[in-house]
């Protein structure tokens, strides 16, 4: 039988890894796929730049569209990233009847609905395991392994850069900006690191996971994102004193009112396994009705780790080449006509408990004012910690953990607390999840 010919668009970190993993494990891969798989063509931006893989058997070009239009190529592997040229190339590949493998989370989160519809029309597959949590096979786990379950919620550490920063801040008492510079130097961060620290990268990945978990169309525009750039050393320390760790979590939950889709710093009890996922590692915790909680842990980025997911997708496509398109695993786990329009809940309607840190003047009655405002909004305090001022008459931090309350009431309370004369700066609010 003829080999399956693959064209790779982009030979950067993941592209080189894909070439390397495929050639290193060729025997196992061929045995699993049942066919020889050959990367015959690859596209790079600059033909003069060096690649981290052997391209001696690959025809390399700087014209990616040429590969997409090559009738010999059956599978296009898009590893360029972004939603510009990558969107054009993937759309054209589908139009040309080619299967697509991509690691491009933004492309799927923003244009997946349209691309999947096009792919279905053409009877081709778009595989995107590498777009979420790098090498962790989380798409496959949810779409196939958990297919018998009703998924209740999922929570993930799905940005390695953010997790590295928070881990260093906690373990080495380093400042946010200092650690971010190191993460950039180590090559973990996105080209625009605000995508990492402001939660946009995680929201792309969460949007994809939520669709697969709950059978809803991709709705990145409705995801709530809050970054970690305002997390200070003192919050990391107080959270620790209260038995919590701060993690940048992507959370999606199905509630009676709708689906929560939110990325924000979160306090998690330190004893939870996921609270101990440190450095650049990723993890996703899924609560499902039949199996209960399952936790998936591994490398969320990196050359070979992400290539592991890319190559697995290529193998899946090769195995299914002869199957009727109607009988393949659906892109978003549910058949396209079984997707529901369950609404995404606005963050103001989300119910959680909170960590609050207020800097106040050390005066009689301040605490009474704060607790009165909270009580008026129906917010019950679970724990309170007040520190002595560093200098007599100085500013004191008051830290409170609250019981669950709907976010709009907490917003109202925070506005009123910040308006108090004795309160010096913005109230720091971090949502708490017990993940129990
Ligand atoms: N910048 C991403 C991260 C890379 O830090 O996790 C993988 O998507």
């Amino acid at each position: 039988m003829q080999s399956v010919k693959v064209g790779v668009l982009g030979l950067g970190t993941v592209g080189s890894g894909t070439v390397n993993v495929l050639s290193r494990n060729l025997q196992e891969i061929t045995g699993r796929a049942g066919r020889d798989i050959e990367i015959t063509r690859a596209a790079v931006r600059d033909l003069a730049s060096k690649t981290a893989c052997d391209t001696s058997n690959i025809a390399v070009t700087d014209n990616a569209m040429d590969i997409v239009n090559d009738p010999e190529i059956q599978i296009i592997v898009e590893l360029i990233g972004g939603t510009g040229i990558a969107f054009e190339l993937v759309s054209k590949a589908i139009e040309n009847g080619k299967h697509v493998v991509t690691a491009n989370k933004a492309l799927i989160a923003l244009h997946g609905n349209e691309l999947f519809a096009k792919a279905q029309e053409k009877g081709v597959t778009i595989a995107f395991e590498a777009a979420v949590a790098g090498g962790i096979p989380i798409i496959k786990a949810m779409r196939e392994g958990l297919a018998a379950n009703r998924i209740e919620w999922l929570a993930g550490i799905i940005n390695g850069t953010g997790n590295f920063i928070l881990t260093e801040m906690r373990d080495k008492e380093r400042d946010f900006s200092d650690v971010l510079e190191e993460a950039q130097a180590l090559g973990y961060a996105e080209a625009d690191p605000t995508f990492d620290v402001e939660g946009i990268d995680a929201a792309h990945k969460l949007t994809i996971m939520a669709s697969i978990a709950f059978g809803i169309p991709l709705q990145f525009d409705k995801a709530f994102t809050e970054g970690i750039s305002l997390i200070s050393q003192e919050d990391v320390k107080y959270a620790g004193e209260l038995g919590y760790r701060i993690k940048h979590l992507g959370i999606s939950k199905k509630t009676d009112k709708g689906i929560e889709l939110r990325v924000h710093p979160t306090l998690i009890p330190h004893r939870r396994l996921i609270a101990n996922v440190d450095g650049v590692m990723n993890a996703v915790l899924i609560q499902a009705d039949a199996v209960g909680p399952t936790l998936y842990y591994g490398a969320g980025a990196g050359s070979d780790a992400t290539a592991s997911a890319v190559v697995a997708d290529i193998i899946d496509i090769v195995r299914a080449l002869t199957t009727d398109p109607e009988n393949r695993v659906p892109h978003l786990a549910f058949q396209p006509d079984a997707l529901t329009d369950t609404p995404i809940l606005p963050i103001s309607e989300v119910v959680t408990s909170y960590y609050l840190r207020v800097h106040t003047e050390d005066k009689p009655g301040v605490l009474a004012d704060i607790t009165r405002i909270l009580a008026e909004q129906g917010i019950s305090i679970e724990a309170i910690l007040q520190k002595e001022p560093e200098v007599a008459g100085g500013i004191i931090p008051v830290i409170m953990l609250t019981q669950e309350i709907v976010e709009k009431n907490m917003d109202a309370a925070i506005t009123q607390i910040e308006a108090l004369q004795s309160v010096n700066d913005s109230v720091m609010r971090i949502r708490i999840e017990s993940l129990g």
Side-chain angles (χ1 to χ4, degrees), residues 108-109 128 132 138-139 142 151-156 158 202-220 222-223 250-254 258-263 284 286 331-334 339-340 342-344:
I108 299 300
F128 51 93
V132 181
I138 191 67
I139 303 292
M142 279 203 288
I151 294 180
E152 292 161 6
W153 55 260
L154 61 92
I158 42 181
H204 287 147
K205 297 166 182 167
L206 182 70
T207 298
I208 299 171
M209 288 199 292
S211 288
I212 291 172
F214 303 119
I216 51 169
L218 297 148
Q219 295 164 78
F220 171 73
K222 302 214 177 94
I251 299 169
S252 189
K253 266 186 208 174
K254 191 163 189 178
I259 289 167
E260 298 176 5
L261 193 60
R262 48 191 170 102
V263 176
V284 181
I286 301 179
H331 290 112
L332 290 178
F334 289 73
L339 295 180
T340 66
T342 316
I344 304 288

Side-chain angles (χ1 to χ4, degrees), residues 170 245 247 269-278 297:
R170 189 194 72 221
R245 288 191 175 167
K247 291 289 178 190
H270 69 90
R271 63 185 179 280
R272 296 267 176 263
L273 269 179
I274 196 167
N276 295 281
V277 171
D278 286 333
Y297 168 87

Side-chain angles (χ1 to χ4, degrees), residues 103 105 130-134 158-163 187-191 195-196 201 205 280 282 300-302 306:
K105 51 237 158 167
V132 181
I158 42 181
N159 182 272
T161 302
N163 202 39
Y188 303 140
E190 294 296 301
F195 272 49
D196 296 296
D201 175 76
K205 297 166 182 167
V280 284
N282 280 202
T306 311

Side-chain angles (χ1 to χ4, degrees), residues 15-87:
S16 302
T18 301
V19 173
N20 291 334
V21 170
L22 199 57
S23 83
R24 190 168 76 228
N25 299 339
L26 194 62
Q27 206 187 334
E28 285 90 341
I29 290 168
T30 310
R32 289 178 181 133
R35 296 268 298 268
D36 284 337
I37 298 169
E38 231 187 315
I39 296 177
T40 54
R41 301 192 67 181
V44 294
R45 202 172 19 192
D46 177 6
L47 285 170
S49 63
K50 270 184 89 91
T51 57
C53 61
D54 177 7
T55 54
S56 49
N57 293 319
I58 302 173
V60 181
T61 171
D62 58 2
N63 186 345
M65 200 51 98
D66 207 30
I67 302 182
V68 165
N69 287 326
D70 182 341
E72 287 263 294
I73 300 287
Q74 283 171 278
I75 302 174
I76 290 290
V77 178
E78 183 276 309
L79 302 171
I80 293 171
T83 53
I85 182 77
F87 176 71

Side-chain angles (χ1 to χ4, degrees), residues 16 20 73 86 107 115 136 166 182 191 329 360 370 377 379 383 411 422:
S16 302
N20 291 334
I73 300 287
L107 182 72
L115 291 172
I136 306 176
L166 290 174
E182 188 184 339
V329 180
T360 80
I370 295 173
Q377 291 297 333
I379 301 167
D411 289 341
S422 35

